[in-house]
Amino acid sequence: MITYNELYDALRKERYSEQLQPIPKNFVKEVGAYLNDKKEIALRKNDDFSDTILKTKKQFENSIAIFKELMLRRKRKILDLAFVAAETGISKRDFENMLVIEKESFEGIMKSLEKGDKKINDLLKGIEEGLKQNNKLIVFIEDTEEFLDMEGIKIGPFKKGDIANLSEEIAQILIVDKKAEGVDEE
């Protein structure tokens, strides 16, 4: 089982190093067992003023604080690693020093970052492609007065022979009404 000094030492190493520090794979379980033991001793009622119980209560409280700070520092380093990996494509640095739970978190963060980047790229491409796909080039075959599009924006007027790049919906209405013809883009 882990001791208070080992727990404190793990925090000290994590605190003073930029890299994720190696810790045993069963570290969290050992800390859990350690905390449960300390908690049982700290909760004993038979001798409330015993030096041992007071010391154990203080160690229990400190151990919780140390463990929380240790995990917080490790999470911050994992987030930094994920950010660097997302930007550079290199993700193996410090990977061997991660606990299984941390590796799963890292992979999840990486997937989320990649998904976000893909959505941004799709939006950028979608704006460009959207204009091409959702518009239709037409030529007017008769004079057409000013009218409103689907968003209520004024369009026109157009004269016979004018060419316009309008939304497919509007273009289709004008073609059906025999006011315009589609222009084949080749």
Side-chain angles (χ1 to χ4, degrees), residues 152-163:
I153 299 171
K154 292 180 182 178
I155 299 177
F158 297 98
K159 296 191 184 284
K160 182 179 179 179
D162 284 353
I163 296 175

Side-chain angles (χ1 to χ4, degrees), residues 136-141 164 171-172 174-175 180-185:
K136 183 167 181 72
L137 199 58
I138 58 171
V139 62
F140 284 87
I141 53 177
Q172 215 40 51
L174 293 167
I175 291 169
E181 293 177 342
V183 176
D184 292 329
E185 297 178 48

Side-chain angles (χ1 to χ4, degrees), residues 123-136:
L123 283 173
L124 288 173
K125 289 178 185 174
I127 291 169
E128 202 173 77
E129 291 171 6
L131 291 174
K132 292 177 189 172
Q133 292 175 352
N134 295 331
N135 285 358
K136 183 167 181 72

Side-chain angles (χ1 to χ4, degrees), residues 20 25 78 94-110:
L20 200 58
K25 299 300 175 198
I78 289 169
D94 291 339
F95 201 70
E96 65 276 355
N97 292 340
M98 290 183 199
L99 299 173
V100 173
I101 298 167
E102 293 171 332
K103 287 178 183 176
E104 290 171 3
S105 294
F106 179 80
E107 293 297 330
I109 293 166
M110 289 301 298

Side-chain angles (χ1 to χ4, degrees), residues 1-9 30-31 34 38 63:
M1 186 190 331
I2 200 165
T3 65
Y4 179 82
N5 288 338
E6 290 171 331
L7 183 60
Y8 180 77
D9 192 46
E30 286 186 17
V31 170
Y34 170 78
K38 293 295 179 187
S63 296

